[in-house]
């Protein structure tokens, strides 16, 4: 039961980093790839239907830690109280910006909140887990730089995959620039782990850059997602041995009865969550048409771009 629930928590954190990773990247890069208000709205519309659902993975992961490994939960979130608090502030600011930018006349402060609220958690989660592994400020900074760069690459590839016209071209160029940063940072950040998943994560990032160069955005996005999965797996392989200094996994776990009850709850609820989110991504799978790139007559009369002020 202990090993099972550690694997479940690793899976939930992995899902969060993969899905929220491109959210963070899009939030940071939307002003970079956009030149007009319509392009900015279209860029943010790529994550509009899914960003809040992606945050459910964080809530579920933290809740599972609290129930299955209370000592790990208490030690980790007490030791990193300030950075976790700043993560929450960033998520709140980003959420407010995304919800309100279509309801105000001047969305400048909303756009600024989206950028800051995306970059802050993207950096801090890497810093937290790197510090948890190595317990040093340089490691934390390197870990934060790694997750920030990878989220930027992940988000840029997602924008290239989901948009059209000039925004798509700029997103592809931005992805190549982000890859030029992410790959060397990954070498420094992951080489110390020395595991097969860590090495495979570096290779996946290189493959993502090559696929982006060849304009294969779908495969490039799969490669960036694989890199995040492999990097997270490498981290949790280390945490399995020592989730906190001086604490083993067995010492951090709840009792057998609690883990059994959690297993039944997870068995009932987790499939519904996965099916619902999978259905959401299927419904919104098409590219967002950037205004100015559509063929005449392809947009319904009276149709409105998401995030635009009411007419």
């Amino acid at each position: 039961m202990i090993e099972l629930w550690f694997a479940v928590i690793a899976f939930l954190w992995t899902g969060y980093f993969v899905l929220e990773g491109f959210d963070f990247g899009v939030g940071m890069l939307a002003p970079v790839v956009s030149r007009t208000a319509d392009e900015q709205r279209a860029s943010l519309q790529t994550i509009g239907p899914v960003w809040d659902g992606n945050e459910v993975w964080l809530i579920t992961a933290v809740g599972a830690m609290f129930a299955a490994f209370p000592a790990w939960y208490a030690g980790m979130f007490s030791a990193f109280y300030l950075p976790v608090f700043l993560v929450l502030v960033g998520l709140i600011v980003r959420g407010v910006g995304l919800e309100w930018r279509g309801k105000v006349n001047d969305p400048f402060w909303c756009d600024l909140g989206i950028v800051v609220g995306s970059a802050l958690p993207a950096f801090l989660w890497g810093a937290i887990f790197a510090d948890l592994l190595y317990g040093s400020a340089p490691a934390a900074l390197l870990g934060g730089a790694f997750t920030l760069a990878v989220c930027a690459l992940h988000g840029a590839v997602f924008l290239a995959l989901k948009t059209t016209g000039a925004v798509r071209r700029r997103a592809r160029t931005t992805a190549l620039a982000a890859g030029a940063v992410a790959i060397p940072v990954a070498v420094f950040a992951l080489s110390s782990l020395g595991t097969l998943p860590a090495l495979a994560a570096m290779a996946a990032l290189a493959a993502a850059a090559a696929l982006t160069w060849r304009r294969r955005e779908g495969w490039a996005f799969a490669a960036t997602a694989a890199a995040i999965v492999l990097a997270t797996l490498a981290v949790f392989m280390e945490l399995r041995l020592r989730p906190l200094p001086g604490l083993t996994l067995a010492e951090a776990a709840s009792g057998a009865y609690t883990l059994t009850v959690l297993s039944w709850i997870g068995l009932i609820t987790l499939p519904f969550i996965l099916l619902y989110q999978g259905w959401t991504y299927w419904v919104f799978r098409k590219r967002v048409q950037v205004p100015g790139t559509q063929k005449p007559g392809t947009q319904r009369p009276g149709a409105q771009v998401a995030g635009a002020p009411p007419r």
Side-chain angles (χ1 to χ4, degrees), residues 102-276:
K103 302 177 177 64
V104 296
N105 293 325
D106 183 6
F108 171 78
W109 291 107
C110 291
D111 290 338
L112 180 62
I114 294 169
V115 172
V116 174
S118 299
L120 196 61
F123 176 84
L124 287 174
W125 281 126
I128 289 170
F129 277 94
D131 199 341
L132 192 62
L133 286 177
Y134 301 109
S136 68
L141 292 174
L142 183 59
F146 168 71
T147 52
L148 186 66
V150 171
C151 285
L153 173 59
H154 197 38
V157 172
F158 183 77
L159 278 168
L161 177 65
K162 293 287 290 182
T163 57
T164 59
V167 172
R168 181 185 180 187
R169 291 192 297 271
R170 295 188 204 110
R172 189 185 301 120
T173 302
T174 304
L176 293 172
V181 175
I183 293 170
V185 172
V187 171
F188 285 104
L190 298 177
S191 58
S192 59
L193 293 174
T195 59
L196 182 58
L199 298 175
M202 301 179 211
L205 289 175
L211 289 163
T212 302
W213 177 263
R214 294 176 59 85
R215 302 187 179 187
R216 304 294 297 273
E217 292 100 341
W219 286 107
F221 182 74
T224 55
I228 295 173
V229 170
L230 291 164
T232 308
L233 176 60
V235 169
F236 274 86
M237 285 173 62
E238 295 294 319
L239 291 176
R240 177 180 171 274
L241 303 176
R242 186 177 58 90
L244 286 174
L247 184 71
T248 65
L249 203 59
E251 293 169 341
S254 295
Y257 177 77
T258 301
L259 294 178
T260 302
V261 172
L262 285 175
S263 298
W264 283 108
I265 294 173
L267 187 64
I268 294 170
T269 59
L270 192 58
F272 286 100
I273 296 173
L274 295 176
L275 286 172
Y276 172 76

